[in-house]
Amino acid sequence: LKIGDIVTAGTGYGRVKSMVDASGEQKSEVAPSFAVQMVGLNNVPSAGDAFQVVEDEQKAREMAEKELDKERKLRLSEQSSGSYFSVGSFEGYDGSENDLKILNVILRAGASGSLEAIKGMLRDLPQEKVILRYLTSATGEISLSDVDQASTSDAHIIGFDVTPSEEVLASAKQAGVQIYSSDVIYNLVQDVEKVMLGLLDDVEVLDQVGEAEVLAVFGSNKSKVAGCKVTEGVVQNTSRIQVVRKKKTVFEGDVTSLRIVKEDVSEVLEGSECGIGCEEFEFWKAGDRIIAYSVSRQSPSLG
């Protein structure tokens, strides 16, 4: 690399004007693997950008503009659909909020290398159910304007290797804005993962616990009760049931009444007879098969 060479690095390009080594000595030419501080680029490159010498300034400009266009498209993609999501990622998605949650994020980092590092880690989080959408993703301190933007857009502020000032913290507290700040990248990723999980409902899990057969139907109108015999396992007053008639499910819902004779009971064991009632179902028929399930809830997952 020599003084006067035309170079490109990321979105920047220019002519090498000066080079200084680690001891502060000016250099006119350096060999491979020799580290210097160079002056001459029109834009600050990011960590990891390819640095190369090209034959003329026009080609250098074209290469830098191409990289700039790629960055612009990437920012638009992030703002519209989260972390490196494109329109193609939403094939089959109908726009229903029940299907997909969006977490708005304002991301600040102390340096460009830190910014890319935290974005890379966040990108690895599963986003089939909750996607990250960066409203702002840049280096620099967390500012009052960041708090204002987060407040108006229901966003969370993530700060990697930056420390919010007391003024910013006070403003965030008053506005109800949550700030997550740490110089440990794994702590931040865990914080974001917890927030993403917090947007999801617990998962309902059904386990079959018993079966019953309808022997007769009692009552009239909406107060009809199925007189049943438990043929397997147990039926509970908290059971979710499935009513099957001729191999076809005719009802799914919760038991609202479970009695032996006229006494309310919590459960009926195999071999015993009982009356089962459901507020949402009255079309019982003798011979219906009732499948009973216990209902539990599990914490959701992102994947």
Side-chain angles (χ1 to χ4, degrees):
L1 182 66
K2 305 185 295 296
I3 297 292
D5 280 346
I6 299 171
V7 296
T8 178
T11 61
Y13 73 97
R15 189 181 296 274
V16 179
K17 296 180 179 178
S18 66
M19 293 184 291
V20 180
D21 65 14
S23 64
E25 182 181 350
Q26 293 282 342
K27 295 289 183 178
S28 60
E29 182 175 342
V30 292
S33 301
F34 195 92
V36 291
Q37 184 178 30
M38 190 209 83
V39 175
L41 292 175
N42 70 332
N43 200 0
V44 180
S46 299
D49 285 342
F51 180 94
Q52 56 185 308
V53 177
V54 295
E55 57 267 24
D56 57 58
E57 188 171 343
Q58 181 178 349
K59 183 174 181 179
R61 184 186 299 110
E62 290 174 353
M63 293 173 65
E65 289 177 349
K66 185 177 180 180
E67 288 298 317
L68 189 62
D69 187 55
K70 285 170 60 177
E71 283 195 2
R72 187 182 298 112
K73 289 178 179 178
L74 183 58
R75 285 197 302 270
L76 289 173
S77 173
E78 289 177 351
Q79 291 170 3
S80 64
S81 54
S83 176
Y84 294 91
F85 272 67
S86 64
V87 175
S89 302
F90 292 90
E91 184 176 354
Y93 170 57
D94 61 7
S96 171
E97 291 187 357
N98 293 327
D99 296 329
L100 190 66
K101 304 292 185 182
I102 296 176
L103 178 62
N104 290 330
V105 170
I106 293 173
L107 180 62
R108 291 288 184 183
S112 59
S114 300
L115 182 67
E116 294 307 314
I118 183 65
K119 287 175 74 174
M121 293 287 287
L122 293 176
R123 193 186 313 136
D124 289 337
L125 290 175
Q127 297 187 40
E128 290 85 359
K129 301 173 185 177
V130 182
I131 64 172
L132 295 174
R133 177 167 61 188
Y134 297 116
L135 303 182
T136 299
S137 171
T139 58
E141 298 295 328
I142 299 171
S143 66
L144 292 175
S145 62
D146 290 334
V147 175
D148 292 338
Q149 185 182 18
S151 177
T152 57
S153 57
D154 192 25
H156 295 258
I157 298 176
I158 310 298
F160 179 42
D161 208 19
V162 292
T163 302
S165 66
E166 292 298 326
E167 183 182 18
V168 166
L169 290 174
S171 178
K173 183 177 180 180
Q174 184 176 11
V177 171
Q178 190 70 47
I179 297 178
Y180 300 92
S181 178
S182 177
D183 57 359
V184 180
I185 193 169
Y186 298 103
N187 292 346
L188 280 180
V189 173
Q190 288 181 345
D191 287 338
V192 174
E193 185 176 15
K194 289 178 182 177
V195 176
M196 293 171 72
L197 287 170
L199 297 178
L200 300 175
D201 296 327
D202 287 344
V203 179
E204 194 173 70
V205 179
L206 301 179
D207 292 308
Q208 184 174 335
V209 294
E211 291 190 21
E213 181 184 354
V214 177
L215 304 177
V217 181
F218 305 98
S220 59
N221 299 327
K222 293 186 177 181
S223 60
K224 288 184 178 179
V225 174
C228 306
K229 181 176 182 179
V230 179
T231 58
E232 182 182 321
V234 62
V235 176
Q236 300 167 316
N237 61 355
T238 56
S239 291
R240 175 76 49 81
I241 63 170
Q242 179 183 12
V243 180
V244 180
R245 183 178 301 153
K246 295 180 180 179
K247 298 183 179 181
K248 181 180 179 181
T249 298
V250 295
F251 173 72
E252 291 180 349
D254 296 323
V255 171
T256 55
S257 172
L258 183 65
R259 294 181 178 182
I260 295 179
V261 190
K262 293 184 178 181
E263 182 182 354
D264 289 325
V265 294
S266 61
E267 64 179 25
V268 181
L269 300 178
E270 181 178 335
S272 300
E273 295 185 359
C274 62
I276 297 176
C278 296
E279 291 181 356
E280 299 176 351
F281 186 67
E282 57 182 291
F283 306 107
W284 303 99
K285 285 189 177 182
D288 285 347
R289 176 174 167 237
I290 298 174
I291 305 173
Y293 301 89
S294 66
V295 182
S296 61
R297 305 192 74 84
Q298 292 183 354
S299 299
S301 64
L302 294 178

